[in-house]
Amino acid sequence: MSDVTTVRLAAPSYIASVRRHTTFARLPSEIRGYYDVIYAAIRSGKIAKGGHNVAIYRNASRRGVDVECGVQVAAPFAAVGEIECREMPTGEAATTVHWGPYDRLGEAHDRVVAWIRANGRELAGVGWELYGDWDDDPKKVRTDVFHLLKPR
């Protein structure tokens, strides 16, 4: 894990995305199915993959969360069934790198949120994870965790 949180400008980019409403408790058992929908379209040639997997979280509360699971693409495309071309969040974001298993990602989110509050910044209500390349050794699995900041 990394204890370093930085602020960087999240630039415009696109993902092939499916949107769902779920809970953080159910998400671990459901998330694979969200990506399966997208990867089926990639394998069929209907969408061209351009990068890594992404999960974007909005409207998080005790009742649930709106999640967009997506795969980075090189250029915008027309919707393919329920798969939409969506723009990634843009603007200033606080970010950290998490090295390790996905079930510990909450700790990275907590560190970023604590850093935001300690530095007098405000959350804009959107967080996301950018997943690195898979490795069978969980210690080598990289996930970049972001939280969008409200403008000053």
Side-chain angles (χ1 to χ4, degrees):
M1 285 189 239
S2 169
D3 288 333
V4 178
T5 297
T6 60
V7 174
R8 74 179 221 204
L9 190 60
S13 62
Y14 296 96
I15 58 173
S17 168
V18 296
R19 293 189 281 174
R20 300 284 192 270
H21 183 80
T22 189
T23 65
F24 285 113
R26 290 193 326 248
L27 187 62
S29 65
E30 296 173 351
I31 197 166
R32 176 82 184 226
Y34 304 162
Y35 289 106
D36 286 347
V37 171
I38 299 165
Y39 276 97
I42 290 170
R43 283 189 299 278
S44 74
K46 294 177 182 173
I47 297 171
K49 180 180 175 186
H52 290 98
N53 292 351
V54 177
I56 303 170
Y57 306 101
R58 291 182 169 86
N59 306 314
S61 72
R62 290 188 179 134
R63 293 184 309 270
V65 62
D66 295 325
V67 63
E68 285 184 57
C69 291
V71 177
Q72 293 173 317
V73 293
F77 63 92
V80 176
E82 68 177 313
I83 304 167
E84 300 174 277
C85 182
R86 304 274 296 165
E87 190 169 332
M88 288 285 298
T90 58
E92 271 193 314
T95 183
T96 194
V97 175
H98 169 79
W99 290 97
Y102 297 140
D103 65 358
R104 305 276 309 265
L105 278 168
E107 297 169 21
H109 284 277
D110 291 345
R111 284 194 312 277
V112 173
V113 170
W115 183 94
I116 291 167
R117 292 184 175 138
N119 285 276
R121 298 299 302 265
E122 290 184 66
L123 292 159
V126 180
W128 67 98
E129 299 159 352
L130 174 63
Y131 304 105
D133 295 329
W134 178 252
D135 194 292
D136 288 333
D137 180 352
K139 293 181 215 157
K140 295 180 181 177
V141 175
R142 177 184 176 142
T143 308
D144 292 82
V145 173
F146 297 83
H147 282 272
L148 196 62
L149 300 169
K150 284 188 179 179
R152 290 182 189 226

